[in-house]
Amino acid sequence: MSEPQEPMTDLPADEPADEPVDQPLGEPVETPAGPQETAAPGAGTPHGAQTEPGTAEEAGAEVPTGSDVVADLAAAQSAVAALTDDLKRLQAEYVNYKRRVDRDRELVKQNAVFSVLSSLMPVLDDLDRAREHGELEGGFKAVADALERSVAAQGLVKFGKPGDEFDPRLHEALLHSHSAEVTTTTCQDIVTAGYRIGERVVRPARVTVVDPEPENAEQADS
């Protein structure tokens, strides 16, 4: 006889999943505690947003102090003063350069006039001699007068007359004589007239001079 077999027991069926528990409205839902993900550094921070105080210092950036600001301001003021001095120096150099150019331009003009008028002096001397001999008449006289007016318009001044006191800066003595009628050295005859432009003597007057007699000179000195 076969041995009696034990009755078979039913295997436990799969337990049904926990049914959701109804949560009353308005109560917060509890989340299970566990490891939480941390955001990456800088994530979620808008570009350009200010960081919390102390972040720049923690990052190693140097924050200027009051003494640094004062030093930078003093350096900037010193640079401005140096540039201002350079500008004033350049302005002074330009003014001096302009004055020198104007002076040189005027000197070149005077030298050109001097050269032209100097070449005309022999012609003017011939006109004076023709006038002394009464030969300056008619159309020739009109031309001579026009020439003399032209040179006078350029600043040429004629000087030297009989009776003028002798001045070695203006006269060139060609002959000396003595006379009791004069008390100082005097121009007697004008051989050729002198000419000047402004204060500049183009040519001294060539003259004969007469000196006072020695007795008159001694009396004048006493």
Side-chain angles (χ1 to χ4, degrees):
M1 264 184 91
S2 62
E3 295 180 358
Q5 299 181 354
E6 294 180 358
M8 298 178 62
T9 58
D10 296 335
L11 296 174
D14 294 335
E15 294 182 1
D18 295 338
E19 295 181 0
V21 180
D22 295 336
Q23 184 72 19
L25 296 175
E27 295 183 1
V29 179
E30 296 181 358
T31 57
Q36 306 235 348
E37 295 181 358
T38 58
T45 303
H47 180 68
Q50 296 181 353
T51 58
E52 296 180 359
T55 304
E57 296 178 356
E58 294 175 358
E62 295 182 358
V63 179
T65 61
S67 59
D68 294 337
V69 173
V70 172
D72 293 342
L73 179 59
Q77 291 176 344
S78 177
V80 170
L83 293 175
T84 303
D85 292 339
D86 291 341
L87 179 60
K88 291 180 179 179
R89 178 176 55 81
L90 291 175
Q91 288 178 339
E93 289 179 355
Y94 173 74
V95 171
N96 293 334
Y97 168 77
K98 188 175 183 301
R99 290 175 179 173
R100 185 168 60 254
V101 169
D102 293 341
R103 184 174 62 250
D104 293 345
R105 184 183 296 114
E106 184 65 22
L107 183 60
V108 169
K109 178 182 177 182
Q110 292 179 1
N111 289 337
V113 173
F114 180 89
S115 177
V116 172
L117 295 180
S118 296
S119 63
L120 292 176
M121 286 181 187
V123 179
L124 297 175
D125 293 338
D126 292 340
L127 294 178
D128 288 339
R129 284 190 286 269
R131 185 180 290 109
E132 291 175 359
H133 293 82
E135 298 176 358
L136 202 61
E137 299 177 354
F140 184 51
K141 182 177 182 302
V143 173
D145 292 342
L147 178 60
E148 290 176 344
R149 286 194 300 268
S150 297
V151 296
Q154 296 300 321
L156 186 67
V157 178
K158 180 180 178 181
F159 67 89
K161 295 180 181 179
D164 290 344
E165 183 178 356
F166 179 79
D167 187 346
R169 296 172 301 177
L170 303 177
H171 305 104
E172 179 183 352
L174 302 179
L175 181 64
H176 285 267
S177 62
H178 295 83
S179 174
E181 298 179 358
V182 296
T183 58
T184 183
T185 304
T186 306
C187 298
Q188 185 178 26
D189 296 320
I190 307 299
V191 179
T192 54
Y195 293 94
R196 66 169 176 252
I197 300 176
E199 298 298 327
R200 182 179 181 182
V201 176
V202 181
R203 187 187 71 183
R206 297 184 177 93
V207 299
T208 62
V209 297
V210 56
D211 296 322
E213 294 291 347
E215 302 83 29
N216 296 339
E218 293 177 358
Q219 293 176 2
D221 294 338
S222 61

